[in-house]
Amino acid sequence: MKCAVVAITRHGLALAGRVAAALPGARVFAPAKFAELAQQVAPGRAQCYEGKTAEQIPALFAAFDAIVAVVSLGAVVRLIAPHLRNKEQDPAVVVLDEAGRFVIPVLSGHLGGANALAGHLALALGATAVLTTASDSRETLCVDLLGRELGWRFEASHDEIVHCSAAVVNDEPVALVQEAGSTDWWRGHANGRSGPLPENLVRLDRLEEADPNRYAALLWITREGRAEDHPRWAGRRVIYRPPEES
């Protein structure tokens, strides 16, 4: 993950150096008036700019997978708002307070990895990650991250992801049918899960065991199954495709 660390104050830069140390390869961006300090806290990895910070955002969005800002949350929201596209394209954005007490994912928490990045930084800095997405705050399944570490890809429309995610976090019965791939996906979940699988997720071995009248949603892990063969699940299913070796 290519990461830019942005700080706009002297105290913020001190923290930015600690952040950069926890993220190998990250680059620190700061106003030109702090050029000397920026090089001190991130030797060889600092880049300073003239003009307004807002003018740097388009280039940062284009060049980096993640932006960590030691800037107030409200200011960051205003800075990035004109440049937002969608969660498949937007970089992860994480905000830290100058005291280094809180790490807050602001944008692209799941697909972009902001929640996972916040967790990593919280451990490295001794801070608290403030996760507001329901699946992460309750440590249940993130529908759009299932099997990500194993190389699985998923097939679903935006509306299907929304429907299935809502069913999971609202404790509705969800059929989780696994016909292929490694079964060790919960322990290695993207944002870390230590407890048992939530009770509303019912693991089944074959799709024929899942009654569409009983379950609010279907999470189907298969290599061969075809969505068009099961129209009763239309609009409320996500299909995961594990590679042959996973």
Side-chain angles (χ1 to χ4, degrees):
M1 178 179 282
K2 295 175 59 179
C3 184
V5 184
V6 179
I8 59 174
T9 68
R10 185 171 297 276
H11 293 295
L13 261 174
L15 179 57
R18 295 172 59 199
V19 171
L23 300 173
R27 296 193 60 81
V28 172
F29 290 80
K33 64 181 179 180
F34 296 126
E36 183 177 349
L37 177 59
Q39 290 297 336
Q40 289 176 6
V41 301
R45 292 199 282 160
Q47 184 171 328
C48 295
Y49 55 86
E50 300 283 354
K52 298 180 179 179
T53 300
E55 297 169 351
Q56 311 305 312
I57 302 302
L60 295 179
F61 261 52
F64 292 91
D65 304 310
I67 299 171
V68 179
V70 189
V71 183
S72 75
L73 177 58
V76 169
V77 169
R78 293 183 184 280
L79 286 170
I80 67 175
H83 310 288
L84 302 185
R85 292 169 294 180
N86 56 65
K87 66 180 184 178
E88 286 78 22
Q89 295 178 283
D90 294 331
V93 176
V94 173
V95 166
L96 288 87
D97 64 298
E98 282 196 0
R101 292 174 297 180
F102 302 103
V103 190
I104 310 170
V106 178
L107 185 67
S108 298
H110 283 170
L111 292 182
N115 288 2
L117 178 59
H120 172 75
L121 290 177
L123 287 174
L125 302 174
T128 298
V130 182
L131 305 182
T132 58
T133 48
S135 56
D136 287 314
S137 61
R138 297 184 56 239
E139 292 200 346
T140 189
L141 180 72
C142 298
V143 169
D144 50 0
L145 294 184
L146 175 57
R148 184 173 183 174
E149 290 77 12
L150 299 170
W152 299 3
R153 59 182 177 84
F154 68 80
E155 299 171 2
S157 67
H158 172 75
D159 289 345
E160 287 173 324
I161 288 289
V162 170
H163 175 91
C164 293
S165 296
V168 170
V169 300
N170 287 321
D171 297 326
E172 298 179 59
V174 174
L176 199 158
V177 179
Q178 182 161 12
E179 300 174 342
S182 170
T183 59
D184 192 25
W185 46 262
W186 177 250
R187 185 175 59 179
H189 194 278
N191 294 332
R193 300 290 185 255
S194 57
L197 192 70
E199 293 183 359
N200 67 310
L201 300 178
V202 181
R203 299 184 73 158
L204 303 169
D205 296 324
R206 296 181 304 112
L207 185 60
E208 290 73 20
E209 299 173 17
D211 182 354
N213 295 317
R214 177 181 175 185
Y215 297 101
L218 168 68
L219 307 181
W220 186 16
I221 306 166
T222 181
R223 292 194 182 101
E224 305 298 333
R226 302 194 312 166
E228 57 268 29
D229 293 338
H230 304 279
R232 294 179 67 189
W233 289 107
R236 55 193 182 111
R237 66 184 163 216
V238 178
I239 300 176
Y240 302 87
R241 304 291 191 188
E244 289 298 329
E245 66 278 8
S246 179

